[in-house]
Amino acid sequence: MNKEQFISLLEEKGISLSSQQLSQFDTYYKLLVEWNEKMNLTAITDEEEVYLKHFYDSTTASFYVDLNQELSLCDVGAGAGFPSIPLKICFPNLKVTIVDSLNKRITFLQNLANELGLKNVHFVHDRAETFGKNADYREKFDLVTARAVARLSVLSELCLPLVKEGGMFVPMKAAAASDELEKGKKALQILGGKLEKVHSFSLPLEESERNILIINKIKSTPKKYPRKPGTPNKQPLE
């Protein structure tokens, strides 16, 4: 996906990028490649692939959730900043918190946010399991998202405790979403989530399958969740 395709495909979805926003994406790409030589951030470094598989793919959440309002968004396990930083560039009104367990990635993200001049972006070095118990963050977010972090039964336990009642958990998945949903039903029920909708589509140009799940937080998460680090993965709520 070249930059012209990136611009026009976002325009089709009602997202018009200013020259400043385009410059932010350009700087993001350069810093990603530069830092990737020192630490493992992404296997994808070709510019057109980054624009398609990281930048454009990250923005697809906004095709199904209205991000034009003042929302607090938490991105769990953001890695090199996906999907939250591309979403923040497109929707500067978002208040973003990123939690990641690797301090080197947090250092990269802090540097990135400074270089891009992003405001209202907060970074936390923590395991999602302990972060979800922290009273400063627990059930405080309008929207919690995660992209390619873990299967749904595990991811729900890491993310739903952070969503406020009436808020949304929006995991971004590749293929196999239906299988994950089947196995994740129990977790959603226990943790206070209710599946509202699954949006399935193909990523442009390469036609790979993508699924965006809209899960509403309909009741408070029981205090015992998330369980201690490592447990959700070893003993998922299935």
Side-chain angles (χ1 to χ4, degrees):
M1 174 178 282
N2 61 38
K3 289 178 196 176
E4 289 69 32
Q5 290 167 317
F6 179 68
I7 292 164
S8 67
L9 283 167
L10 288 184
E11 286 262 352
E12 282 174 25
K13 299 293 183 180
I15 301 168
S16 297
L17 297 176
S18 66
S19 56
Q20 185 198 357
Q21 287 166 310
L22 289 168
S23 167
Q24 285 174 315
F25 276 114
D26 198 37
T27 303
Y28 193 170
Y29 171 69
K30 286 175 182 153
L31 287 170
L32 182 68
V33 171
E34 188 185 308
W35 280 68
N36 202 53
E37 289 174 7
K38 298 180 274 188
M39 55 190 278
N40 182 25
L41 289 168
T42 176
I44 300 167
T45 53
D46 174 77
E47 187 169 26
E48 294 201 354
E49 287 216 2
V50 168
Y51 268 81
L52 174 63
K53 294 179 182 173
H54 284 329
F55 295 168
Y56 181 83
D57 193 29
S58 291
T59 64
T60 57
S62 72
F63 305 167
Y64 308 103
V65 180
D66 181 9
L67 299 183
N68 286 300
Q69 43 196 323
E70 288 252 336
L71 292 173
S72 55
L73 179 149
C74 181
D75 188 0
V76 175
F82 309 120
S84 51
I85 301 290
L87 288 172
K88 172 69 178 172
I89 292 172
C90 293
F91 302 92
N93 49 291
L94 293 174
K95 291 180 180 150
V96 173
T97 299
I98 291 177
V99 58
D100 199 278
S101 61
L102 202 62
N103 205 28
K104 284 194 297 188
R105 284 199 289 255
I106 293 291
T107 304
F108 163 72
L109 291 167
Q110 284 171 326
N111 187 276
L112 177 69
N114 290 338
E115 292 280 341
L116 299 184
L118 301 178
K119 303 280 183 280
N120 282 326
V121 185
H122 182 53
F123 303 100
V124 184
H125 172 228
D126 201 355
R127 290 284 299 252
E129 295 95 333
T130 43
F131 183 75
K133 292 275 195 189
N134 187 324
D136 290 342
Y137 303 110
R138 187 179 179 87
E139 301 199 323
K140 292 288 196 291
F141 296 96
D142 300 309
L143 184 66
V144 176
T145 187
R147 178 175 171 260
V149 172
R151 61 195 187 279
L152 188 63
S153 52
V154 178
L155 201 55
S156 299
E157 186 169 350
L158 304 179
C159 295
L160 273 167
L162 299 165
V163 185
K164 61 169 72 162
E165 278 188 71
M168 267 188 285
F169 167 38
V170 182
M172 303 175 73
K173 294 283 176 189
S178 55
D179 184 46
E180 285 195 37
L181 267 170
E182 196 53 45
K183 289 183 175 154
K185 275 181 181 170
K186 183 180 173 187
L188 292 182
Q189 196 177 2
I190 290 170
L191 300 161
K194 180 172 185 280
L195 180 69
E196 177 71 25
K197 185 93 172 121
V198 179
H199 297 281
S200 300
F201 60 98
S202 294
L203 205 58
L205 306 172
E206 67 156 35
E207 298 299 319
S208 53
E209 186 188 335
R210 291 291 185 271
N211 293 278
I212 291 177
L213 283 50
I214 308 293
I215 294 163
N216 291 332
K217 179 79 173 270
I218 56 168
K219 61 178 195 288
S220 188
T221 302
K223 284 194 167 50
K224 70 186 257 193
Y225 300 105
R227 291 165 293 168
K228 64 180 195 282
T231 307
N233 206 28
K234 286 191 197 110
Q235 299 165 14
L237 301 169
E238 288 179 1

